[in-house]
Amino acid sequence: MELPPCPPSLKSIQHFLKLAQEHDTRDVVIAYWARLYALQVGLKASTQTGEETKLLLGIMDWLEQMKKQYAENEAITNEVAAQAHIENYALKLFLYADKQDREENFGKNVVKAFYSSGVLYDILQTFGELSEEALHNRKYAKWKAAYIHNCLKNGETPIPGPLPDDDDEAELEGENANASADTSPEDAAGAAAPAPYQPEPDAQPPAPSYPTASGVVPPTAEEVLNNPNKLPSPPVDEEKPGGFVPYVPTAQPNPATAATIYQPIVPVAGVQITPDQMITAQKYCKYAGSALNYDDVKTAIENLQKALKLLSTGSE
């Protein structure tokens, strides 16, 4: 189904539509929610011209068609599964771009990966307010895309990672809201750079250092989007006040304690599960299903264990 062209008056949704188009044959879940978010933003921004109405009605028709065609795909019909799928995808793309950046593998592929990750975090607003981690990742990804792009355009060598004198609370001017992944992101080289998300002390072990890949050609952004297995495995989600933060194990568990970790959980008599706890358990199950889509058995087990413990004991 070919959609009408995007009029200049709805430029604010152009990058969401472009991301959707890129994923039509790669990941229909991403394409669906990108267009749904574009529709939501477009309806608010519309001045009800003929071109705008034609496009927005076309998106509505497309969404209805996809919802019928993929009625058995929970990541399209169920918001909890959809949120887990998009969060997992956005984080994988962000980690890929950050890894390439820290290894000084600068190029258009890294710019596109950072920027696409930022757009995906925008789309996650469909499901409510973003977590602290997601807000930091979105801001950092968009800034980094613009910064590397401008450095390459000006013949300068980008500084890998956050700048030494960054300011986590600085508000970026021009967060590339109207740019697409294939066009020049707005110039943000002079803006203060936010650092990647850092959880509260003792909230998680330090993130693992990435090995250098000297002599190894990194995968392109196209290869990454076509083959999620080229991305690092998604971290396990640990809950903390304000949202979920990524937990990345720094070492393999001790065999002596592994049996304790995976012992069967015996239900406590008289445990009452609240509606909120039931929703949380469903979310863990959806995270596990999403992890299995990427052949990440360890993450699936971790999340299923959390769901089982919550349902059996009434506590996390």
Side-chain angles (χ1 to χ4, degrees):
M1 180 175 179
E2 188 171 346
L3 295 174
C6 183
S9 56
L10 290 182
K11 187 179 179 182
S12 59
I13 70 171
Q14 192 171 27
H15 48 302
F16 300 120
L17 296 177
K18 184 167 186 60
L19 184 73
Q21 185 179 25
E22 291 173 345
H23 286 79
D24 276 333
T25 57
R26 296 171 182 160
D27 190 326
V28 69
V29 174
I30 300 297
Y32 179 87
W33 291 99
R35 287 197 176 96
L36 180 61
Y37 187 71
L39 176 64
Q40 294 175 345
V41 175
L43 288 172
K44 294 178 182 179
S46 175
T47 58
Q48 298 184 351
T49 65
E51 288 183 322
E52 293 173 351
T53 302
K54 187 177 180 180
L55 173 62
L56 296 177
L57 288 176
I59 296 175
M60 290 180 188
D61 290 341
W62 184 90
L63 291 171
E64 280 300 314
Q65 180 179 321
M66 290 299 104
K67 200 164 187 178
K68 291 178 181 177
Q69 183 176 343
Y70 294 95
E72 296 183 359
N73 188 331
E74 285 195 349
I76 286 180
T77 60
N78 184 295
E79 289 194 359
V80 175
Q83 183 177 4
H85 182 96
I86 300 172
E87 281 179 349
N88 191 41
Y89 193 97
L91 184 59
K92 279 175 170 284
L93 200 56
F94 179 85
L95 291 176
Y96 160 79
D98 186 57
K99 178 177 183 291
Q100 298 305 317
D101 171 55
R102 292 175 188 273
E103 292 179 355
E104 302 184 33
N105 295 323
F106 306 117
K108 290 192 297 182
N109 294 318
V110 175
V111 172
K112 184 170 184 178
F114 265 128
Y115 191 76
S116 296
S117 174
V119 173
L120 286 166
Y121 280 115
D122 282 336
I123 295 168
L124 281 169
Q125 293 176 113
T126 304
F127 312 105
E129 294 184 5
L130 297 180
S131 66
E132 182 184 355
E133 176 202 7
L135 287 170
H136 276 73
N137 285 356
R138 180 179 67 165
K139 183 181 289 187
Y140 183 78
K142 290 188 176 184
W143 169 78
K144 200 68 180 178
Y147 171 70
I148 296 176
H149 169 81
N150 287 323
C151 285
L152 297 177
K153 182 176 68 175
N154 298 327
E156 302 170 358
T157 301
I159 298 174
L163 293 181
D165 55 350
D166 57 8
D167 180 2
D168 286 359
E169 301 303 323
E171 290 296 332
L172 295 184
E173 295 181 3
E175 278 196 344
N176 312 318
N178 298 323
S180 71
D182 286 344
T183 58
S184 301
E186 293 176 7
D187 188 0
Y197 176 75
Q198 295 295 332
E200 296 296 324
D202 299 327
Q204 69 171 41
S209 58
Y210 294 115
T212 57
S214 54
V216 178
V217 178
T220 66
E222 297 296 322
E223 290 174 332
V224 168
L225 293 172
N226 278 312
N227 184 7
N229 290 327
K230 288 184 176 290
L231 295 169
S233 295
V236 178
D237 289 317
E238 287 292 334
E239 189 173 8
K240 67 165 222 152
F244 291 93
V245 297
Y247 172 79
V248 183
T250 56
Q252 294 296 322
N254 188 314
T257 61
T260 303
I261 294 174
Y262 296 109
Q263 281 183 348
I265 300 173
V266 180
V268 178
V271 171
Q272 298 294 324
I273 305 299
T274 67
D276 287 342
Q277 289 175 322
M278 188 67 70
I279 292 173
T280 300
Q282 289 177 338
K283 183 177 290 188
Y284 285 140
C285 292
K286 301 306 179 185
Y287 284 147
S290 181
L292 289 176
N293 288 336
Y294 295 96
D295 298 326
D296 189 349
V297 177
K298 178 175 173 55
T299 298
I301 291 174
E302 293 281 355
N303 281 282
L304 289 174
Q305 286 285 326
K306 291 180 193 176
L308 183 58
K309 179 180 178 182
L310 179 59
L311 295 174
S312 302
T313 67
S315 66
E316 299 184 62

